[in-house]
């Protein structure tokens, strides 16, 4: 949160959550953010949503469709401004791997068509055979939509937001080495839940 305030300099920073965070660091940033009471997503288009990560995926899409702006996972540290990436695009996302765009960092205009198409695809949430239910709607599907509608999104290379990766080698590179220089990164996803 502090790096986003310092580097991105937003007009306002909204923190969506079911209950207010606690602790020393929260107290430091609390005066600079607006707390938004989140909702506990139980279903989407009649499909049950059980895991907190999937609930958050849906809330972030709804918030970006309504407000636009930049969404950052709580474990993302911003290093450089994002403006050069926008280039008139309605949505910007970074590649996580060959098959996916990671939803840990999203910049979007309000009511962006790409986000609305993505949200509408949640009609199939939990009902698709032969897909990994963990990351299909959050990582794989945005990539599929980007391939179908490249004019609606500026897909960024993996090293803009999401490198090093969440695997053992990536975490070692990030936390146990000075080998990687972050020259290309606009942000670093620290994969706190990895």
């Amino acid at each position: 949160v502090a790096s986003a305030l310092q580097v991105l300099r937003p007009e306002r920073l909204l923190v969506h959550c079911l209950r207010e965070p606690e602790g020393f660091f929260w107290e430091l940033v609390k005066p600079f953010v607006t707390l938004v009471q989140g909702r506990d997503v139980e279903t989407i288009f009649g499909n049950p949503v059980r895991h907190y990560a999937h609930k958050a995926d849906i809330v972030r899409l709804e918030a970006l469709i309504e407000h636009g702006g930049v969404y950052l996972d709580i474990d993302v540290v911003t290093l450089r401004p994002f403006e050069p990436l926008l280039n008139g695009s309605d949505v910007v996302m970074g590649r996580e791997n060959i098959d996916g765009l990671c939803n840990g960092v999203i910049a979007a205009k309000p009511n962006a068509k790409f986000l609305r198409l993505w949200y509408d695809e949640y009609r199939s949430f939990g009902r698709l055979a032969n897909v990994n239910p963990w990351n299909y709607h959050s990582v794989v599907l945005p990539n599929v939509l980007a391939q179908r509608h490249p004019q609606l999104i500026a897909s960024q290379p993996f090293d803009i937001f999401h490198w090093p990766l969440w695997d053992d080698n990536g975490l070692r590179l990030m936390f146990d080495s000075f080998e990687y220089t972050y020259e290309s990164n606009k942000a670093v996803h620290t994969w706190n839940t990895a």
Side-chain angles (χ1 to χ4, degrees):
V1 174
S3 71
L5 288 165
Q6 182 69 29
V7 174
L8 302 180
R9 301 195 179 277
E11 292 176 17
R12 62 186 178 145
L13 195 147
L14 307 177
V15 175
H16 296 258
C17 52
L18 290 176
R19 54 188 179 275
E20 183 173 340
E22 298 175 344
F24 175 77
F25 291 109
W26 172 249
E27 294 302 322
L28 288 177
V29 299
K30 185 176 176 178
F32 305 102
V33 304
T34 301
L35 195 62
V36 177
Q37 179 62 49
R39 69 181 186 91
D40 188 8
V41 177
E42 295 182 8
T43 64
I44 185 162
F45 299 114
N47 302 311
V49 181
R50 293 183 180 89
H51 197 280
Y52 74 89
H54 297 140
K55 294 175 183 216
D57 292 342
I58 293 163
V59 169
R60 87 186 55 168
L61 281 177
E62 292 172 346
L64 284 169
I65 290 168
E66 181 179 349
H67 301 286
V70 174
Y71 168 83
L72 302 170
D73 273 358
I74 197 69
D75 59 349
V76 171
V77 178
T78 54
L79 303 176
R80 294 175 187 83
F82 293 1
E83 286 86 6
L85 304 176
L86 300 175
N87 293 334
S89 297
D90 285 356
V91 175
V92 175
M93 290 180 73
R95 190 152 292 294
E96 178 178 325
N97 54 41
I98 293 170
D99 300 321
L101 294 173
C102 183
N103 68 353
V105 177
I106 306 170
K109 292 181 180 174
N111 205 31
K113 185 174 182 179
F114 183 86
L115 298 182
R116 289 185 284 117
L117 289 169
W118 183 4
Y119 189 83
D120 194 55
E121 289 287 333
Y122 270 84
R123 292 178 189 284
S124 65
F125 184 76
R127 298 187 303 147
L128 296 174
N130 303 321
V131 300
N132 179 348
W134 175 252
N135 73 345
Y136 179 75
H137 281 83
S138 59
V139 176
V140 177
L141 180 59
N143 189 54
V144 169
L145 292 172
Q147 291 172 357
R148 284 187 204 151
H149 308 282
Q151 73 282 7
L152 299 179
I153 183 170
S155 299
Q156 300 299 313
F158 63 92
D159 61 346
I160 297 297
F161 302 128
H162 305 296
W163 187 260
L165 271 180
W166 46 263
D167 59 11
D168 287 342
N169 289 333
L171 293 176
R172 252 191 307 283
L173 190 61
M174 190 181 314
F175 296 111
D176 294 336
S177 163
F178 293 103
E179 192 177 317
Y180 184 64
T181 62
Y182 300 92
E183 286 180 35
S184 299
N185 292 69
K186 300 288 185 187
V188 179
H189 199 161
T190 63
W191 311 105
N192 193 40
T193 58

